[in-house]
């Protein structure tokens, strides 16, 4: 093995984890437990990943805190106290920091270190990772915990460089916060981030313009302080709750109605929808078993929400503009917020339609629409989303066997086996990658499932003296087809204009990326593959050059 590359000493570990968000932190814990020497490299100045960078006002999880947390330590889940039903960003960030401290993980996490490229050294069967700090790392295993919503997307808009005000992206919010008091502010976008941010920012600003291209459906989160009896009940039954989540459709404990919307009477349907509205947030998507497969059932739920919007927003025209049209509910990620529609009753908030008259350019003073109207603002907030699911991996663009780069391998859309591994990229594990339930699930459940599988795979390789693992092209093609077919049975196949399809990024192939076959089914599949001796994978048993079993650098 080379000890130096271009005059730089190479630092060797069994595993490099790229990223120290919820996935990276969990990976460090599990790998260390398995006796694998590990170093996590994190671009940010702290642990937390998404929850480190998305500090915009109102940032909050849309999965209940008691579910959106690690299950790997019973002591941890018993000790930690969530203050609200849905945790806000500061509390989740505190939790991740607590986990890093409680399990003494920081000594294996290197912050402010961006992995800028990676390449597989075929002779050594090791990954070489290069960082913006000039350091070079070598590892047998590359665990890509790079996040699925980690590359903020600022749309290319003419004139932004001439804008005299300040501008921000929700996904890259300044750590010190932003003072918007007394300012005229514009928010571009009405997705999840915007719908959480708008009600809070509206209370601070002199005036708020909301630039809406596509109206989405926003549920009331129905957030509230944690009820002691709920917490007690969960803590008493945590193992059962986790087991349920791991076997469920979406990786959490939300109750699902298993009836078709068509089997129910109109009264029963309405009662179910009202109940879902009261439960709040993503519960609406479990109202009927066929809400995401039957257009008529979907429309019943969609119209129910439109009626709620009309009943909330006083100005008729604004209410109608906020009502989503030509969009199946849930096929763009359902939003969950507090007082979102109510905010449009404020005198200092104006909804600006930019669908029928698109943004022409940014001017020195604000936003110019193509019909010539201009909106002057002191600050601009881009709530315009992410290069989701593949953005962070494509940015590193790992180079695998035969010098083939990932961007080339994924030119027509991401291809993976089980959403975990990529043919031609041995010993690379993509945590919650495309082709896995990922964003279609409680991310913490999916993260833990992937890391459990990855660590077991590494242990298997060590036990059998195997040096590399990668999927066969055939297994990868079959899985990718299965992922597409699963989506094809749902309304997602007919609603391609979302980040689930990569449609928000110019030039990105429009391919449905997550796996919608259900978390429980998926977990059974990956478990079966491992138990079968890793069907669909091939191993090499070339003697490993160095395979340290002690913690620390090798
Ligand atoms: P999203 O859900 O991708 O929302 C982005 C929003 O920005 C959406 O309303 C877009 O409208 C809008 N957008 C993007 N580009 C433009 C331009 N050029 N002009 C006008 N409007 C634009 O991102 P979020 O951060 O809200 O949420 C991402 C995920 O994070 C979320 O789903 C949760 O899982 C957590 P469009 O719909 O494309 O017309």
């Amino acid at each position: 093995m080379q000890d130096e590359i271009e005059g730089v000493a190479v630092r060797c570990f069994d595993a490099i984890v790229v990223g120290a968000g919820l996935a990276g932190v969990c990976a460090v814990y599990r790998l260390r437990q398995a006796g694998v020497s590990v170093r996590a490299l994190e671009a940010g100045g702290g642990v937390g990943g998404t929850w480190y960078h998305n500090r915009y006002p109102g940032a909050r999880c849309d999965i209940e805190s008691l579910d959106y947390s690690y299950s790997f330590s019973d002591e941890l889940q018993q000790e930690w106290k969530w203050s609200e039903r849905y945790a806000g960003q500061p509390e989740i960030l505190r939790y991740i920091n607590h986990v890093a401290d409680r399990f003494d993980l920081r000594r294996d996490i290197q912050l402010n270190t961006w992995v800028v490229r990676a390449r597989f050294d075929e002779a050594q069967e090791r990954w070489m990772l290069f960082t913006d700090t000039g350091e070079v790392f070598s590892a047998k295993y590359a665990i890509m915990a790079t996040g699925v919503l980690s590359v903020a997307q600022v749309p290319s808009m003419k004139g932004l460089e001439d804008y005299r005000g300040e501008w921000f992206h929700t996904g890259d919010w300044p750590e010190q916060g932003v003072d918007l008091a007394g300012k005229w502010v514009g928010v571009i976008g009405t997705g999840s981030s915007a719908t959480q941010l708008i009600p809070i920012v509206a209370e601070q600003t002199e005036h708020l313009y909301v630039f809406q291209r596509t109206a989405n459906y926003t549920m009331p989160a129905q957030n509230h302080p944690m009820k002691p009896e709920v917490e007690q009940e969960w803590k008493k039954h945590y193992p059962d709750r986790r087991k349920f989540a791991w076997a469920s459709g979406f990786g959490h404990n939300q109750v699902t109605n298993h009836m078709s919307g068509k089997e129910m009477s109109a009264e029963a349907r309405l009662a179910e929808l009202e109940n879902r509205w009261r439960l709040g947030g993503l519960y609406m998507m479990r109202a009927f078993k066929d809400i995401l497969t039957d257009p008529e059932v979907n429309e019943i739920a969609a119209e129910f929400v439109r009626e709620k919007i009309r009943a909330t927003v006083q100005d008729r025209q604004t209410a109608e503009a906020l009502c989503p049209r030509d969009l199946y509910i849930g096929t763009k990620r359902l939003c969950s917020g507090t007082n979102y529609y109510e905010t449009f009753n404020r005198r200092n908030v104006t909804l600006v339609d930019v669908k029928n008259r698109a943004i022409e350019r940014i001017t020195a003073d604000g936003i110019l629409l193509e019909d010539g109207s201009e909106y002057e603002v002191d600050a601009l907030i881009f709530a315009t989303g992410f290069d989701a699911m593949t953005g962070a991996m494509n940015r590193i663009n790992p180079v695998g066997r035969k010098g083939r780069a990932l961007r080339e391998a994924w030119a027509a859309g991401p291809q993976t086996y089980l959403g975990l591994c990529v043919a031609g990229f041995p010993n690379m594990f993509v945590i919650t990658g495309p082709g896995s339930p990922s964003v279609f699930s409680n991310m913490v459940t999916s993260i833990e499932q992937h890391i459990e599988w990855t660590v077991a795979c590494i242990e298997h390789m060590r036990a059998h003296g195997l040096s590399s693992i990668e999927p066969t092209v055939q297994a990868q093609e079959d899985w990718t087809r299965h992922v597409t077919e699963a989506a094809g049975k749902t309304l997602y196949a007919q609603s391609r204009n979302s980040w689930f399809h990569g449609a928000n990024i110019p030039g990105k192939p429009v391919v449905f990326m997550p796996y919608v076959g259900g978390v429980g089914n998926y977990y059974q599949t990956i478990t079966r593959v491992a138990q079968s001796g890793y069907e669909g994978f091939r191993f090499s048993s070339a003697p490993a050059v160095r395979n340290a079993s002690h913690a620390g650098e090798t």
Side-chain angles (χ1 to χ4, degrees), residues 174-194:
E175 213 171 322
Q176 67 280 12
V178 177
D179 183 9
L180 297 170
K183 293 193 172 145
W184 287 64
V185 175
V187 175
I188 302 177
T190 50
S192 298
S193 303

Side-chain angles (χ1 to χ4, degrees), residues 149 155 157 189-193 213-214 332-333 383-386 499:
L149 294 161
M157 284 187 179
T190 50
S192 298
S193 303
R213 187 165 66 185
T214 308
K332 271 185 194 269
R333 171 87 174 200
T384 44
F386 301 88
W499 61 257

Side-chain angles (χ1 to χ4, degrees), residues 380-391:
L380 255 181
I381 298 172
F382 288 91
T384 44
F386 301 88
D387 184 352
M389 302 208 68
T390 54

Side-chain angles (χ1 to χ4, degrees), residues 122-391:
E122 287 194 64
Q124 310 282 345
E125 294 203 298
R126 290 180 73 90
W127 279 96
M128 308 298 295
L129 297 105
F130 303 82
T131 70
D132 66 339
T133 56
E135 291 164 288
V136 182
F137 293 85
S138 160
K140 190 82 194 147
Y141 310 102
I143 319 287
M144 309 306 282
T146 43
V148 287
L149 294 161
S150 50
V151 178
Q153 166 73 358
V154 178
S156 89
M157 284 187 179
K158 278 184 284 181
L160 184 56
E161 62 286 358
D162 302 326
Y163 179 57
R164 287 193 295 232
E166 293 179 294
W167 65 266
F168 311 94
H169 190 286
T170 47
D172 195 12
W173 199 259
E175 213 171 322
Q176 67 280 12
V178 177
D179 183 9
L180 297 170
K183 293 193 172 145
W184 287 64
V185 175
V187 175
I188 302 177
T190 50
S192 298
S193 303
T195 51
Q196 292 185 333
L197 165 132
I198 284 164
I200 298 188
V201 164
E203 288 177 1
Q204 302 164 359
T205 55
E206 179 67 23
H207 199 91
L208 185 64
Y209 291 116
V210 176
F211 296 92
Q212 172 186 272
R213 187 165 66 185
T214 308
N216 198 355
Y217 302 86
T218 299
M219 297 304 109
Q222 311 288 19
N223 188 31
H224 51 67
M226 180 62 69
K227 292 182 180 158
E229 64 275 19
V230 172
E231 184 185 353
Q232 275 159 23
E233 196 276 336
W234 267 77
K235 289 190 171 174
K236 201 164 145 202
H237 300 291
Y238 241 138
D240 294 339
R241 291 273 183 175
R242 300 298 193 186
K243 208 165 147 197
F244 182 88
W246 281 46
S248 70
F250 296 91
H252 50 55
N253 280 260
Q254 289 187 7
V255 276
T256 301
N257 173 16
H258 293 290
M259 286 180 79
S260 156
K262 286 183 170 163
E263 283 164 17
M264 299 167 75
S265 67
E267 295 74 32
R269 268 198 312 256
L270 185 60
E272 184 65 37
L273 289 166
E274 287 290 358
N275 181 38
R276 299 276 151 183
W277 186 263
R278 267 193 308 276
L279 285 166
L282 303 181
Y283 279 80
M284 182 57 79
M285 296 322 299
R286 331 270 170 254
F288 312 113
K289 73 169 187 196
D290 43 3
I291 190 168
L292 280 170
T293 51
D294 187 316
E296 288 169 26
V297 173
N298 187 283
E299 176 54 22
I300 291 167
E303 186 54 21
F304 172 83
V305 178
R306 287 187 209 110
E307 280 303 317
K308 292 287 186 193
I309 299 171
R310 291 179 188 118
T312 308
V313 179
Q314 287 150 9
D315 179 71
R316 196 98 226 105
Q317 217 180 330
T318 306
E320 286 308 319
L322 285 165
C323 285
R325 318 248 169 226
D326 305 323
L327 177 67
Y328 292 122
I329 185 168
T331 55
K332 271 185 194 269
R333 171 87 174 200
L334 194 69
C335 302
S336 174
T338 299
N339 291 332
Y340 177 61
Y341 293 119
E342 290 81 348
T343 298
F344 292 91
N345 292 331
R346 294 176 66 99
R347 293 162 69 100
N348 70 333
V349 176
T350 308
L351 183 69
V352 183
D353 164 45
V354 293
K355 189 178 193 86
N356 299 313
R357 13 171 232 152
I359 296 174
E360 171 71 25
R361 59 178 289 124
I362 310 289
T363 65
D365 300 315
I367 291 186
L368 180 70
L369 304 190
E370 60 186 7
D371 69 352
S373 41
E374 186 172 357
Y375 296 83
E376 290 185 11
V377 286
D378 306 310
L380 255 181
I381 298 172
F382 288 91
T384 44
F386 301 88
D387 184 352
M389 302 208 68
T390 54

